[in-house]
Amino acid sequence: MHKTTAPLPANVDPCDEPGHGHGVLRLDEARARILDAVHPVEGAESVALRDALGRVLSEPVRSTVDVPAHDNSAMDGFALAGSDLPAGGDKAFRVIGTSWAGRPFEGAVSGGECVRIMTGATLPQGVDTIVMQEHVRREGEIAVITAGHRPGQHRRLAGEDIRAGDVALPAGTRLMPAHLGLVASIGVGRVAVRRRPRVAIFSTGDELRGIGEELGEGQIYDSNRYSLHGMVTRLGLEVLDLGVVRDLRDDTQRAFEQAAANADAIVTSGGVSVGEADYVVETLEKYGQVGFWKVAMKPGKPIAFGHVGKALFFGLPGNPVSVMATFYQLVQPALRKLTGDAAADLPVLVKATCQSKLKKKAGRLEFQRGILERDGEGRYVVRAASHQGAGVLRSMTEGNCFIVLPLEQETVQPGNEVEVQPFAGLV
Ligand code: AMP
Ligand code: MG
């Protein structure tokens, strides 16, 4: 008995291992094996902050400054010493000046005095407390303040956001808009990011034609390369599109060689079911270390995973919906890890009341396409998209979510609660 970890040599079926009863891998097992075999790309570059959106930090960003740099006001109001606040009743303070954001009041504030202060303005010497202007009665040069305020209120302390010397962002951070703002707030204009991985994609199948070509008997347009192009691009990786590869030995070998030599990962569609695409299997045996897996998910059962040369290889099924479902569930987390993104995979799931009857057998995890909405009371409700066939791409455009039906779930009745994964949260 042996224990196999991904990648597996060609033609070694992980499903034959003891413990995998029905010859099928659970989706979470497949995902874990894939993630185990993926390592972030080497190589980094320095980019200007605006060009860094979606990139992954290769080094931590450290701050050399305190943010905010000085104690300042969180409100428009009047600033005074907390020890000077009235214990009971009203107290009159003399207003001796104004502290503006960017134009501080230069003098010191003594007992019985206060300054008018704006949000973001530096606290003058002798001052630690702000009373909102709504709580102050102004009588010319006098500000009348009532009891009930807390010393130190509405003050932002220097270094409260970030301290000089702190790691503002750790390596492995994928930069989102908030990160760009934070980096700007410490006065840093360039960051070190990992090289953007390149993903080669191609489609296999004699029936496939490109846009602009005439369709003969039994031929269809290749759509998978376009959805793959979209999904890979949205993830922030570079696409190398190698087109449609005919079911011919030389073409297949050339495509794999070209892909492995020029890309960090290869994603293909079609030709991984049994009895199909002999040249794909033959080529993978020659150049790769690839296992053919049956994953207990629908759509998308057969997939191939491993390495071709140094490149990661994902052989996805041919059906257009299967391509998208397997990409989102298995390829996307792997490509994220490849970019160096250290964030945990956190799928966005929403509970909704199902309005349709959904036929389902126990034994596989299903990703049915649904239409998620909110009813009059703001509760999430979902209904099935009209055609659930794995080849019906319309279900992905008409729908706006996957209805995720767990492995052992059986038919869902209208009114039952289900979990859905909105497409908007996928990339
Ligand atoms: P396969 O996995 O190669 O047996 O393909 C399964 C189904 O998906 C067949 O109906 C194929 O015609 C279809 N298919 C395969 N590749 C593509 C593609 N690139 N674009 C659209 N449909 C495809
Ligand atoms: Mg095919």
Side-chain angles (χ1 to χ4, degrees):
M1 204 161 59
H2 66 283
K3 195 136 180 60
T4 337
T5 49
L8 297 156
N11 295 339
V12 173
D13 187 347
C15 312
D16 291 342
E17 275 180 78
H20 285 106
H22 307 297
V24 172
L25 268 178
R26 283 206 323 264
L27 177 62
D28 57 344
E29 293 173 319
R31 194 186 287 130
R33 280 167 188 254
I34 289 173
L35 285 175
D36 247 17
V38 178
H39 304 287
V41 287
E42 306 268 343
E45 56 182 323
S46 162
V47 295
L49 196 49
R50 275 198 194 85
D51 299 327
L53 186 64
R55 303 293 297 271
V56 176
L57 290 178
S58 59
E59 290 168 21
V61 175
R62 279 181 192 283
S63 180
T64 56
V65 296
D66 278 340
V67 180
H70 308 279
D71 289 0
N72 68 87
S73 177
M75 295 285 174
D76 290 343
F78 292 83
L80 45 85
S83 57
D84 215 11
L85 282 168
D90 291 354
K91 181 168 175 181
F93 290 78
R94 201 158 64 82
V95 184
I96 61 168
T98 301
S99 189
W100 305 89
R103 226 174 343 124
F105 176 77
E106 304 287 0
V109 177
S110 316
E113 295 176 345
C114 68
V115 295
R116 173 110 175 82
I117 196 160
M118 305 304 167
T119 304
T122 300
L123 297 196
Q125 218 184 308
V127 150
D128 63 358
T129 301
I130 291 93
V131 178
M132 282 163 71
Q133 61 191 21
E134 292 87 333
H135 298 160
V136 173
R137 199 168 74 244
R138 186 79 189 265
E139 293 165 1
E141 290 311 291
I142 299 298
V144 178
I145 289 167
T146 54
H149 297 286
R150 183 177 46 79
Q153 71 182 16
H154 306 317
R155 169 182 56 162
R156 298 174 181 150
L157 294 173
E160 172 179 285
D161 195 349
I162 301 165
R163 289 204 164 281
D166 277 356
V167 169
L169 295 173
T173 303
R174 182 167 187 235
L175 298 169
M176 306 297 276
H179 301 111
L180 299 191
L182 188 90
V183 173
S185 79
I186 58 174
V188 171
R190 296 188 77 80
V191 287
V193 294
R194 274 190 200 267
R195 178 171 70 78
R196 197 197 291 276
R198 186 187 283 173
V199 180
I201 59 176
F202 61 85
S203 302
T204 68
D206 276 341
E207 76 280 28
L208 303 176
R209 289 291 172 274
I211 296 169
E213 289 183 282
E214 197 119 335
L215 290 188
E217 179 80 24
Q219 297 178 337
I220 57 169
Y221 287 119
D222 169 18
S223 61
N224 290 339
R225 259 184 320 125
Y226 291 84
S227 44
L228 281 172
H229 171 88
M231 292 187 289
V232 173
T233 303
R234 286 280 294 262
L235 265 181
L237 290 85
E238 204 180 297
V239 176
L240 175 65
D241 188 342
L242 298 178
V244 173
V245 177
R246 303 261 164 267
D247 292 332
L248 295 169
R249 175 181 285 127
D250 286 353
D251 292 26
T252 308
Q253 290 201 359
R254 212 175 311 120
F256 275 105
E257 275 175 55
Q258 206 186 337
N262 295 293
D264 303 289
I266 306 167
V267 183
T268 67
S269 69
V272 289
S273 344
V274 183
E276 226 206 329
D278 301 322
Y279 299 120
V280 172
V281 176
E282 182 188 301
T283 307
L284 289 175
E285 279 176 352
K286 191 164 168 191
Y287 296 100
Q289 284 258 302
V290 174
F292 291 85
W293 299 355
K294 285 181 216 140
V295 180
M297 70 181 276
K298 185 189 175 188
K301 206 166 174 182
I303 70 148
F305 172 71
H307 286 85
V308 176
K310 284 200 198 111
L312 286 169
F313 172 73
F314 301 88
L316 305 184
N319 271 316
V321 182
S322 309
V323 169
M324 297 199 74
T326 51
F327 184 94
Y328 283 131
Q329 304 306 326
L330 292 166
V331 183
Q332 167 157 312
L335 293 185
R336 277 237 163 98
K337 187 170 177 193
L338 187 66
T339 65
D341 185 348
D345 192 33
L346 256 188
V348 178
L349 292 168
V350 174
K351 285 199 190 327
T353 304
C354 191
Q355 298 176 317
S356 316
K357 176 175 177 174
L358 308 176
K359 283 207 184 141
K360 162 97 170 47
K361 286 199 205 101
R364 63 194 176 197
L365 181 56
E366 285 197 18
F367 294 90
Q368 299 203 8
R369 275 72 64 212
I371 299 158
L372 178 69
E373 285 172 344
R374 301 220 284 169
D375 68 10
E377 268 97 65
R379 289 172 306 215
Y380 283 114
V381 291
V382 68
R383 63 182 195 280
S386 38
H387 295 287
Q388 292 290 331
V392 184
L393 202 47
R394 263 276 298 281
S395 67
M396 294 290 299
T397 57
E398 177 194 334
N400 61 2
C401 66
F402 286 123
I403 305 173
V404 186
L405 302 177
L407 209 63
E408 294 314 323
Q409 168 84 52
E410 295 184 350
T411 294
V412 172
Q413 300 298 339
N416 288 3
E417 186 176 76
V418 290
E419 267 193 327
V420 312
Q421 198 171 19
F423 293 157
L426 281 169
V427 194

